[in-house]
């Protein structure tokens, strides 16, 4: 009986992991499609934003994917906005505040939300 429970638990855990991996693969594919839409705008700042996003979020969470959807809408409407969402622009804004963190330096990440991931 105990062996049966162990086998059933192992099967359930494997199924859970497979579902999680397929969800992550789907989010990654959706991110790729969204980033391709941005790249089609073909401006240097948009390209920088896309490159930084790919580096910062190679496997996006559901929240980051939602943020990217909003970012794509905004930048598609006005490509000049891309610059303000880059990590480098966000880092400059943070550095200009002159705030020191007791946890070390803050490294900005691209996006709309908080400065760091």
């Amino acid at each position: 009986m105990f062996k049966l429970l162990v086998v059933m638990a192992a099967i359930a855990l494997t199924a859970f992991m497979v579902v999680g991996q397929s969800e992550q693969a789907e989010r990654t594919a959706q991110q790729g499609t969204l980033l391709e839409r941005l790249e089609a705008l073909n401006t240097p700042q948009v390209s920088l934003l896309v490159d930084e996003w790919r580096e910062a979020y190679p496997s996006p969470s559901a929240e980051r994917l939602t943020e990217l959807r909003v970012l794509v809408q905004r930048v598609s409407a006005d490509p000049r906005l891309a610059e303000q969402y880059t990590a480098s622009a966000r880092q400059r804004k943070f550095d200009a505040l002159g705030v020191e963190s007791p946890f070390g330096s803050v490294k900005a990440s691209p996006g709309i939300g908080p400065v760091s991931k």
Side-chain angles (χ1 to χ4, degrees):
M1 182 70 161
F2 179 73
K3 287 183 182 180
L4 179 61
L5 288 175
V6 170
V7 169
M8 289 175 62
I11 291 171
L13 181 59
T14 302
F16 179 75
M17 290 172 57
V18 167
V19 168
Q21 289 172 350
S22 67
E23 288 174 356
Q24 182 60 57
E26 185 174 325
R27 285 194 304 269
T28 302
Q30 289 175 7
Q31 173 175 276
T33 300
L34 290 167
L35 292 174
E36 286 173 9
R37 282 180 48 197
L38 280 180
E39 284 180 324
L41 298 173
N42 200 27
T43 70
Q45 289 303 318
V46 171
S47 294
L48 176 62
L49 175 59
V50 168
D51 291 344
E52 288 181 351
W53 189 278
R54 280 195 173 117
E55 183 179 331
Y57 313 115
S59 299
S61 65
E63 294 79 17
R64 285 294 178 198
L65 192 57
T66 299
E67 179 181 357
L68 180 58
R69 285 186 187 106
V70 172
L71 193 144
V72 168
Q73 288 177 341
R74 291 180 184 180
V75 173
S76 293
D78 184 357
R80 295 172 297 177
L81 294 175
E83 199 276 329
Q84 75 184 36
Y85 300 128
T86 63
S88 52
R90 291 162 51 92
Q91 186 70 49
R92 284 191 303 273
K93 287 170 79 175
F94 183 78
D95 291 345
L97 294 174
V99 176
E100 301 250 348
S101 171
F103 305 108
S105 63
V106 174
K107 183 177 183 248
S109 56
I112 298 170
V115 172
S116 63
K117 53 181 170 175

